[in-house]
Amino acid sequence: METFKLENEPKIKTGFKTPDSYFDDFSAKVLGQINEKEIKVIPIYKRKEVIAMFVAAVIVIALMIPIVNNYTKSKELDEATLETYLSYQSNINQYDLIRELDTKDIEAINKNVVLEQETLEDVLSSSPNIENLISE
């Protein structure tokens, strides 16, 4: 394969030519065109559309405040939801839960739990694994 030398190949003419003395007064023409156009500036506070958009935005924000406020309130977990969550966690057992309780929690549990004799008998009689319940 022959080596390609750029200097030896014939040059292709572009077909574009600038007129003679085009760049002599080019900067004067450009500056003249810039100074001719006077741009009319309208302050933003005088435009009716901008004022209407501002009023609409304020109304939308005012209407959204109660909606956002309702969604951001923290809702406390009820006991059933918490119990269901803990029962489906396979890596948590009763001993882990007991270990996390402090004396204040134990006292609160003792005040809230009232066992009646009949209820206790019903649970023990209906439970198929009574030995496990007795041993615990």
Side-chain angles (χ1 to χ4, degrees):
M1 188 179 247
E2 294 181 25
T3 59
F4 178 76
K5 293 190 179 183
L6 189 61
E7 293 84 22
N8 296 342
E9 296 297 320
K11 306 279 190 231
I12 299 173
K13 296 192 179 197
T14 61
F16 296 106
K17 265 178 49 178
T18 58
D20 295 335
S21 71
Y22 178 75
F23 290 108
D24 293 341
D25 56 351
F26 180 72
S27 61
K29 286 181 187 177
V30 171
L31 289 175
Q33 289 177 352
I34 290 175
N35 292 335
E36 288 176 7
K37 295 181 182 178
E38 186 70 30
I39 299 173
K40 184 178 177 184
V41 178
I42 300 173
I44 196 162
Y45 59 87
K46 289 188 178 180
R47 295 186 67 177
K48 293 180 183 177
E49 298 91 17
V50 173
I51 293 173
M53 290 203 288
F54 178 72
V55 170
V58 168
I59 290 172
V60 167
I61 291 172
L63 293 175
M64 289 298 290
I65 287 174
I67 295 169
V68 171
N69 202 12
N70 284 340
Y71 284 119
T72 57
K73 286 184 181 176
S74 64
K75 297 178 181 175
E76 292 186 25
L77 293 174
D78 58 323
E79 291 178 18
T81 307
L82 185 59
E83 185 177 343
T84 305
Y85 173 76
L86 291 176
S87 67
Y88 286 116
Q89 296 300 316
S90 62
N91 57 353
I92 297 176
N93 59 20
Q94 63 188 5
Y95 300 110
D96 293 334
L97 294 175
I98 292 171
R99 191 176 29 224
E100 295 298 323
L101 294 176
D102 57 357
T103 56
K104 186 186 245 185
D105 294 330
I106 294 171
E107 290 173 5
I109 290 172
N110 286 335
K111 288 180 185 175
N112 293 338
V113 176
V114 177
L115 289 177
E116 295 180 9
Q117 191 69 23
E118 296 170 0
T119 309
L120 187 59
E121 287 175 2
D122 289 339
V123 169
L124 290 175
S125 65
S126 64
S127 178
N129 51 358
I130 193 167
E131 290 84 15
N132 289 339
L133 292 176
I134 293 174
S135 64
E136 289 178 5

